[in-house]
Amino acid sequence: MSISSKDSLFKTIQLKAWYKRSMRPPSFNELYYSQIGNLSLEPEETHQLNAGILYNKQIKKISINGSVNAYSNWVTNKILALPTQNLFVWSISNIGRVNVLGTDFQAGLEHQVSKAFSWGVSATATLQNVNDQSDPNSPTFGHQIAYTPRITGNATLSANYKKIALHGTLFYVGERYSLNQNVSANRLSPFSLIDVSASYALQLKKKHTLKIQGGVRNLANTSYSFIRSFVMPGRNYFIKLSYEF
């Protein structure tokens, strides 16, 4: 069920809201993967409620857009995978009831300076509480579930000149916990990463394009980990060649 405002009501703003009930069965890997799969998993059942506002504005050669979405999800039989004995032995189980309350923000600006040159900036951020609501007598009741940060976001700056494109992106992942119990011993520090890239598109013939892209990931050589003790790559480089037709 959904409702939204028409363009005739507001010129630059659209309002929307929707409700959905959904069910997600366990995946094949969650059920059968060696040493990890759990045949006793129950399907996730979710009630989702979302309300948001979208904004779009054109000012001469500048396009501005933004959105805010607030949502609340009630999940029963939440499926969660966690490492147990070590990084290579995981456990997948239903943890009961989880309540999700969050907000997504998005904003962007693009300036078409000339026919040959344009630049833009965009940013997104998510704030969310994903709390275990299974058992009021449990030590994890009301705690953020494992490996789910309360704050995440990214910002991108891009520029295009004829067939050349430049991109720079900043990623941020806030603190999270390695287990469902939110104590200092389980806390994982927040981290941020910077990626930069450049590409060149060569038009071979009508509707056929050869694109060459290269860049640097983790430019600042930040030491970080998504999963406790599983250290991710430092500064690394890539080259990508693609053919579109």
Side-chain angles (χ1 to χ4, degrees):
M1 179 179 67
S2 65
I3 57 174
S4 61
S5 62
K6 292 185 176 181
D7 295 340
S8 57
L9 183 61
F10 303 107
K11 291 183 178 180
T12 60
I13 293 175
Q14 183 184 25
L15 305 176
K16 63 176 184 177
W18 54 265
Y19 165 79
K20 180 171 68 174
R21 182 179 179 181
S22 61
M23 185 271 287
R24 184 183 81 83
S27 68
F28 183 87
N29 283 345
E30 289 169 341
L31 288 171
Y32 300 109
Y33 195 79
S34 175
Q35 299 183 10
I36 297 176
N38 182 356
L39 291 174
S40 301
L41 290 175
E42 297 288 338
E44 284 185 2
E45 297 183 4
T46 307
H47 294 267
Q48 299 172 277
L49 182 63
N50 181 289
I53 180 171
L54 288 78
Y55 176 82
N56 286 282
K57 181 73 173 180
Q58 185 74 34
I59 305 174
K60 296 183 179 180
K61 294 184 178 182
I62 298 176
S63 299
I64 303 172
N65 64 81
S67 66
V68 179
N69 283 291
Y71 55 89
S72 184
N73 301 338
W74 301 270
V75 186
T76 304
N77 296 325
K78 174 70 175 176
I79 298 174
L80 186 66
L82 290 175
T84 51
Q85 300 174 11
N86 55 57
L87 291 176
F88 306 102
V89 180
W90 288 58
S91 173
I92 301 177
S93 60
N94 296 108
I95 63 169
R97 216 173 124 226
V98 171
N99 288 356
V100 182
L101 184 64
T103 308
D104 292 332
F105 302 90
Q106 180 272 327
L109 181 149
E110 184 175 352
H111 185 193
Q112 189 70 43
V113 180
S114 65
K115 187 176 180 180
F117 177 69
S118 66
W119 67 274
V121 60
S122 63
T124 63
T126 297
L127 313 177
Q128 62 175 353
N129 286 317
V130 186
N131 297 327
D132 180 5
Q133 297 290 315
S134 303
D135 182 3
N137 297 316
S138 169
T140 65
F141 183 78
H143 290 204
Q144 188 89 343
I145 66 173
Y147 292 111
T148 304
R150 285 191 170 89
I151 302 174
T152 57
N154 67 77
T156 300
L157 178 64
S158 60
N160 296 273
Y161 179 72
K162 295 183 177 180
K163 299 177 181 180
I164 300 173
L166 304 174
H167 297 277
T169 303
L170 169 68
F171 301 93
Y172 175 81
V173 177
E175 70 171 17
R176 53 259 178 261
Y177 295 88
S178 60
L179 295 173
N180 289 338
Q181 193 169 10
N182 297 173
V183 296
S184 57
N186 296 332
R187 180 182 179 272
L188 297 175
S189 299
F191 64 86
S192 58
L193 302 173
I194 299 174
D195 293 351
V196 294
S197 66
S199 64
Y200 180 81
L202 179 63
Q203 196 76 33
L204 300 179
K205 55 183 178 179
K206 188 176 181 181
K207 296 184 179 180
H208 289 245
T209 304
L210 180 65
K211 187 175 182 180
I212 303 171
Q213 183 181 17
V216 184
R217 298 189 180 100
N218 192 3
L219 181 66
N221 200 30
T222 301
S223 178
Y224 71 102
S225 60
F226 287 105
I227 305 299
R228 181 181 289 278
S229 303
F230 193 86
V231 179
M232 301 299 289
R235 184 185 300 114
N236 59 96
Y237 308 87
F238 72 94
I239 297 176
K240 180 180 178 182
L241 183 66
S242 60
Y243 181 72
E244 301 175 2
F245 59 93

